[in-house]
Short mmCIF file of all heavy atoms in Angstrom, two decimals:
data_model
loop_
_atom_site.label_atom_id
_atom_site.label_comp_id
_atom_site.label_asym_id
_atom_site.label_seq_id
_atom_site.Cartn_x
_atom_site.Cartn_y
_atom_site.Cartn_z
N ARG I 7 -34.68 -12.98 -1.47
CA ARG I 7 -33.99 -11.91 -2.19
C ARG I 7 -32.50 -12.16 -2.16
O ARG I 7 -31.94 -12.46 -1.10
CB ARG I 7 -34.32 -10.58 -1.51
CG ARG I 7 -33.91 -9.40 -2.35
CD ARG I 7 -34.37 -8.14 -1.70
NE ARG I 7 -33.38 -7.83 -0.67
CZ ARG I 7 -33.54 -6.94 0.27
NH1 ARG I 7 -34.66 -6.29 0.38
NH2 ARG I 7 -32.60 -6.71 1.15
N PRO I 8 -31.83 -12.06 -3.32
CA PRO I 8 -30.38 -12.28 -3.33
C PRO I 8 -29.67 -11.20 -2.52
O PRO I 8 -30.03 -10.04 -2.59
CB PRO I 8 -30.00 -12.20 -4.80
CG PRO I 8 -31.20 -11.79 -5.54
CD PRO I 8 -32.36 -11.76 -4.62
N LEU I 9 -28.68 -11.61 -1.74
CA LEU I 9 -27.95 -10.70 -0.89
C LEU I 9 -26.46 -10.90 -1.05
O LEU I 9 -26.00 -12.00 -1.32
CB LEU I 9 -28.31 -10.93 0.58
CG LEU I 9 -29.78 -10.80 0.94
CD1 LEU I 9 -30.01 -11.31 2.35
CD2 LEU I 9 -30.23 -9.36 0.82
N THR I 10 -25.72 -9.84 -0.83
CA THR I 10 -24.27 -9.93 -0.80
C THR I 10 -23.84 -10.09 0.65
O THR I 10 -24.31 -9.38 1.52
CB THR I 10 -23.64 -8.65 -1.39
OG1 THR I 10 -24.07 -8.54 -2.73
CG2 THR I 10 -22.14 -8.71 -1.35
N GLU I 11 -23.00 -11.03 0.92
CA GLU I 11 -22.43 -11.27 2.24
C GLU I 11 -23.49 -11.63 3.29
O GLU I 11 -23.33 -11.36 4.47
CB GLU I 11 -21.60 -10.08 2.70
CG GLU I 11 -20.43 -9.81 1.78
CD GLU I 11 -19.61 -8.61 2.22
OE1 GLU I 11 -19.99 -7.89 3.15
OE2 GLU I 11 -18.55 -8.41 1.62
N GLY I 12 -24.62 -12.23 2.88
CA GLY I 12 -25.56 -12.82 3.81
C GLY I 12 -26.67 -11.96 4.37
O GLY I 12 -27.68 -12.48 4.80
N THR I 13 -26.51 -10.65 4.39
CA THR I 13 -27.54 -9.77 4.93
C THR I 13 -27.65 -8.53 4.05
O THR I 13 -26.73 -8.24 3.28
CB THR I 13 -27.23 -9.33 6.38
OG1 THR I 13 -26.06 -8.52 6.37
CG2 THR I 13 -27.03 -10.52 7.30
N PRO I 14 -28.75 -7.77 4.16
CA PRO I 14 -28.88 -6.57 3.32
C PRO I 14 -27.74 -5.57 3.50
O PRO I 14 -27.42 -4.83 2.58
CB PRO I 14 -30.21 -5.96 3.78
CG PRO I 14 -30.98 -7.10 4.32
CD PRO I 14 -29.95 -8.02 4.94
N ARG I 15 -27.10 -5.56 4.65
CA ARG I 15 -26.00 -4.62 4.89
C ARG I 15 -24.63 -5.29 4.84
O ARG I 15 -23.64 -4.74 5.28
CB ARG I 15 -26.18 -3.95 6.24
CG ARG I 15 -27.38 -3.05 6.26
CD ARG I 15 -27.44 -2.27 7.55
NE ARG I 15 -28.58 -1.37 7.49
CZ ARG I 15 -29.47 -1.23 8.43
NH1 ARG I 15 -29.34 -1.92 9.55
NH2 ARG I 15 -30.46 -0.39 8.30
N GLY I 16 -24.57 -6.49 4.32
CA GLY I 16 -23.30 -7.21 4.28
C GLY I 16 -23.04 -7.88 5.62
O GLY I 16 -23.96 -8.24 6.34
N GLY I 17 -21.81 -8.05 5.96
CA GLY I 17 -21.47 -8.63 7.25
C GLY I 17 -20.86 -10.01 7.16
O GLY I 17 -20.36 -10.55 8.13
#
Side-chain angles (χ1 to χ4, degrees):
R7 192 175 81 193
L9 302 169
T10 300
E11 299 179 353
T13 66
R15 293 187 177 132

